[in-house]
Amino acid sequence: MPIRFDILTTFPEMFATEPPGALALSIPDRARRAGLVEWHATNIRDFTTDKHQKTDDRPFGGGPGMVMSCQPVWDAVCAVEAMDDRPATRVLLTPQGVPLTQPLVEELATMPRLLLLAGHYEGIDERVIRKLDPMEVSIGDFVLSGGELAAIVLMDAVIRLLPGALGDGESAGQDSFSPIGPGGQRLLDCPHYTRPRVWEGEEVPEILLSGDHGRIAAWRLEQSLQRTRERRPDLLAGPPDQPPPA
Ligand code: 6GU
């Protein structure tokens, strides 16, 4: 069975396959055509009972922006969940969520069905969030106009991990954040080179031309460690609340 994504949004066009949206290209499109994944975007606006089709309203207590109302969100989630027998893991995309990391992506990639709720405006009425009790996920410490681009990021990261999604010569095990460190740490990727051997007077590192696969692997690991120390020392510190790796 393909993993199923349901996206609840007021901008379902962003998830279109025709004309192609961001996920209808490259690896996610190939995975979809191969039957590894399916996704369905549902317009929350289709579920509003408001006579003007409104999905939002002004915040109690005043302040800028609009708040997405409980009723259309709740009814949309209930209707979408009933479209398939499999239980959906509910995910709300919000800057207040837990950070999306590769371990979380790996966990999500094992789920049969994910329901992604993309909020807009100043947010969603807290009462419907509490009633849905979703996992709340953020893609970083910055603010997007809506959860849709975050949902697309999450979907891309999950889809490329599905067995068969990457072709020969593509491997998720070599990516940045793969646990290749000597203590199983997740490291940044090593640098890569292709032809020509000399470009603008700059040579490819000699070792990569040596044909010695053992030494090449050791060099790449050392490059990964060096980059990680320089750019992301936090990745080598070990997970918080756990002893650092030996
Ligand atoms: Cl998940 N949503 C929005 N609106 N902004 C974000 C985000 C999510 N993650 C980082 N910024």
Side-chain angles (χ1 to χ4, degrees), residues 13 17 26 60 63 74 78 108 113 120 137 142 145 158-159 172 187 199 205-206 223 235-236:
E13 305 86 345
T17 50
S26 183
F60 278 119
W74 177 256
C78 292
L108 294 174
R113 189 179 178 202
H120 245 267
V137 174
F142 46 83
S145 305
V158 166
I159 290 167
L187 304 182
W199 180 77
E206 189 68 37
Q223 291 287 314
L235 294 176
L236 295 171

Side-chain angles (χ1 to χ4, degrees), residues 72-153:
V73 171
W74 177 256
D75 287 357
V77 170
C78 292
V80 164
E81 286 188 347
M83 288 175 187
D84 191 289
D85 289 338
R86 289 171 289 176
T89 300
R90 296 171 176 170
V91 177
L92 171 63
L93 286 310
T94 165
Q96 282 84 51
V98 298
L100 185 66
T101 58
Q102 196 64 18
L104 179 53
V105 170
E106 288 167 7
E107 184 186 328
L108 294 174
T110 69
M111 305 293 184
R113 189 179 178 202
L114 295 170
L115 185 145
L116 307 182
L117 182 53
H120 245 267
Y121 318 109
E122 290 304 298
I124 300 179
D125 189 309
E126 187 68 17
R127 293 167 296 180
V128 73
I129 298 175
R130 295 286 62 92
K131 193 159 159 114
L132 291 169
D133 195 26
M135 177 184 296
E136 298 186 44
V137 174
S138 164
I139 66 161
D141 293 340
F142 46 83
V143 179
L144 300 169
S145 305
E148 286 80 8
L149 285 173
I152 288 169
V153 166

Side-chain angles (χ1 to χ4, degrees), residues 197-218:
R197 258 184 76 165
V198 184
W199 180 77
E200 301 268 307
E202 298 289 328
E203 304 243 10
V204 167
E206 189 68 37
I207 180 122
L208 297 177
L209 312 173
S210 69
D212 185 335
H213 300 295
R215 286 183 60 222
I216 290 171

Side-chain angles (χ1 to χ4, degrees), residues 190-191 193 205 207-208 214-224:
C190 61
Y193 301 86
I207 180 122
L208 297 177
R215 286 183 60 222
I216 290 171
W219 179 86
R220 286 178 167 158
L221 177 56
E222 189 48 49
Q223 291 287 314
S224 284

